Amino acid sequence: MKRFFLSVAMILALTTVGFAQQNKLEISDWNMEARLPKLSRYLELNAGQYDDVANAIEFFSDKMQSARYSKENRQIKYLNEAVYGNLKLMKDALNQAQYKKYLRLMNSQLNRTGLTAYLKKTALN
């Protein structure tokens, strides 16, 4: 009888832990530095833009890493800083046509990973 109650208690404890972990924001590894050559060809970057885009990608990867390993109450803050900071840097580095291409790419990535719902709505002019 003790084993039965112990088993039931263990099952309840494990399911409680499982449900508690589902609320945590899932941020995958966003190390885009390896994809920089492909991004460069897609956006048709010139030599001067390449360094600026590389810096923006490094900033984005670092901030997403911070969001990934931070506590739950700070994750959304870091996620917003990463995305909107990256978009600001990219807007400064790219021309209008390239920036539109990049926005489409980022939007599809954020939608695919389910992170769009966690972003604050701000106007980027």
Side-chain angles (χ1 to χ4, degrees):
M1 197 66 165
K2 285 183 182 178
R3 286 185 185 175
F4 175 73
F5 286 118
L6 185 59
S7 298
V8 170
M10 290 293 286
I11 290 171
L12 287 175
L14 289 174
T15 56
T16 303
V17 169
F19 283 118
Q21 288 181 349
Q22 286 180 356
N23 292 335
K24 187 172 172 137
L25 183 62
E26 291 294 325
I27 298 175
S28 61
D29 187 20
W30 278 73
N31 186 359
M32 296 175 55
E33 292 169 2
R35 298 183 194 126
L36 189 58
K38 274 186 171 179
L39 181 64
S40 174
R41 284 191 301 275
Y42 175 70
L43 296 176
E44 300 170 359
L45 299 177
N46 61 36
Q49 292 174 318
Y50 188 87
D51 291 333
D52 293 336
V53 170
N55 290 336
I57 294 296
E58 183 179 348
F59 168 83
F60 182 67
S61 296
D62 289 344
K63 285 291 189 176
M64 289 300 279
Q65 195 76 359
S66 296
R68 183 177 187 191
Y69 293 113
S70 65
K71 294 183 180 181
E72 290 179 45
N73 57 350
R74 310 265 317 171
Q75 280 186 328
I76 294 174
K77 178 183 182 265
Y78 287 137
L79 174 67
N80 279 284
E81 286 177 2
V83 172
Y84 291 115
N86 179 38
L87 292 178
K88 184 180 181 326
L89 291 172
M90 288 297 209
K91 189 171 186 175
D92 293 340
L94 303 174
N95 64 36
Q96 192 172 9
Q98 291 169 326
Y99 185 67
K100 282 183 180 181
K101 281 181 163 181
Y102 185 73
L103 279 178
R104 275 185 251 140
L105 181 67
M106 276 297 283
N107 192 29
S108 66
Q109 286 289 96
L110 291 169
N111 282 332
R112 186 180 57 79
T113 56
L115 296 177
T116 306
Y118 298 101
L119 296 176
K120 284 190 310 188
K121 305 297 184 221
T122 62
L124 291 175
N125 295 328

